[in-house]
Amino acid sequence: MECTTDIHHYNNLLQEDCVYTFLDGLDDHLNSIRSDVLHIHPFPSIVQAYAHVHREALRQAVMSASDPDNASGVVLAIKGLKLSLATSPSIIGSC
């Protein structure tokens, strides 16, 4: 490899391989998210793939939370629910 085009192409191949390795390591319940990432055009970087998987996994967790009283503060904040005054400030955090 001598020219910048070859180096750029090689780096893209390495990045793509990292994305495939990351997606291969996902749990089976994330199959639909894996499929979504593979359909992104242009092919995502590893950071973009991770962000997409993280966002969708969090969305699925929020949607499947059946009891908001037992959900974590992050889930409650994302759902837009207001915490009661009796809730510990450590759960709310600084936003």
Side-chain angles (χ1 to χ4, degrees):
M1 286 191 273
E2 295 178 6
C3 70
T4 58
T5 306
D6 290 339
I7 294 170
H8 181 68
H9 181 68
Y10 179 72
N11 286 336
N12 286 342
L13 288 175
L14 288 177
Q15 187 74 237
E16 188 174 319
D17 188 46
C18 289
V19 171
Y20 283 120
T21 302
F22 168 70
L23 293 175
D24 187 43
L26 293 177
D27 290 338
D28 290 338
H29 72 279
L30 299 173
N31 277 339
S32 63
I33 297 171
R34 180 183 298 132
S35 175
D36 292 344
V37 171
L38 291 174
H39 285 94
I40 294 175
H41 187 73
F43 198 80
S45 68
I46 187 68
V47 173
Q48 292 168 331
Y50 174 79
H52 184 78
V53 169
H54 181 71
R55 183 177 51 248
E56 288 299 313
L58 188 58
R59 186 189 64 78
Q60 285 181 1
V62 168
M63 298 303 286
S64 67
S66 59
D67 185 11
D69 293 332
N70 290 333
S72 71
V74 172
V75 172
L76 292 174
I78 290 174
K79 287 181 99 170
L81 300 175
K82 297 196 186 250
L83 298 174
S84 68
L85 293 176
T87 305
S88 168
S90 64
I91 292 177
I92 296 172
S94 60
C95 294

